[in-house]
Amino acid sequence: MKPPIPARDISPERQAMYYAGMAAGVVGALLFVSTFFSFAMNFGNFDDFEGRARSIFLRAVGGMCLMVVGPAVMGVAARGLAGSGVKLDPEQARRDLEPWSRMRGGVIGDVLDEIPAVQQVIDRLGSADQTVEVVRVRCNACRALNDEHDKFCGQCGERL
Ligand SMILES: [Zn+2]
């Protein structure tokens, strides 16, 4: 049994439309290419030249139309009517494009997830250096903290 398609995903209708567009584009390309073969095979054959020329012309034009329409249908199916600008409806467009923006967000999220891990490694490397503790000496006169190598207090100038 197939799991139900989440409501926020691209609808089965749009998916079907996408593949129909893809098929149309492929059929169009085949039709278009077939005209070259017909032309080559019948080269020099003038029986019913007019009829064949018409057939070749129709297939060439039809094939070109399908090659233009097919990918266009794929684009509309992928982004939805509003998302692809066929229908002017920004709210619908947002919903149509939601699976794509969520996908992009997911990709960016994956990258961001990796950054804290990288950050942790950098932090750990950094803290390894800082395990060399700095010994501070407190001044007897003013209680200010000074470096252990200091001879005089940085705050009051008293000898440490
Ligand atoms: Zn001092």
Side-chain angles (χ1 to χ4, degrees), residues 139 141-144 146 153 155-158:
C139 170
C142 74
R143 316 302 300 157
N146 291 275
C153 172
Q155 185 74 32
C156 67
E158 194 69 33

Side-chain angles (χ1 to χ4, degrees), residues 34-116:
S34 81
T35 62
F36 291 104
F37 286 105
S38 318
F39 186 76
M41 282 191 299
N42 295 291
F43 193 76
N45 177 0
F46 292 100
D47 297 342
D48 191 23
F49 180 78
E50 206 175 304
R52 210 166 44 243
R54 199 180 300 123
S55 150
I56 286 175
F57 178 76
L58 285 175
R59 273 185 288 159
V61 170
M64 275 192 288
C65 286
L66 284 174
M67 279 194 288
V68 170
V69 169
V73 167
M74 284 166 77
V76 171
R79 293 188 294 272
L81 279 178
S84 55
V86 172
K87 201 172 79 177
L88 194 62
D89 184 347
E91 180 54 31
Q92 179 66 40
R94 201 180 61 79
R95 277 198 301 275
D96 281 351
L97 294 174
E98 197 273 338
W100 300 112
S101 52
R102 181 154 42 86
M103 185 268 291
R104 264 200 300 277
V107 171
I108 293 166
D110 290 346
V111 173
L112 287 178
D113 278 349
E114 281 170 29
I115 290 171

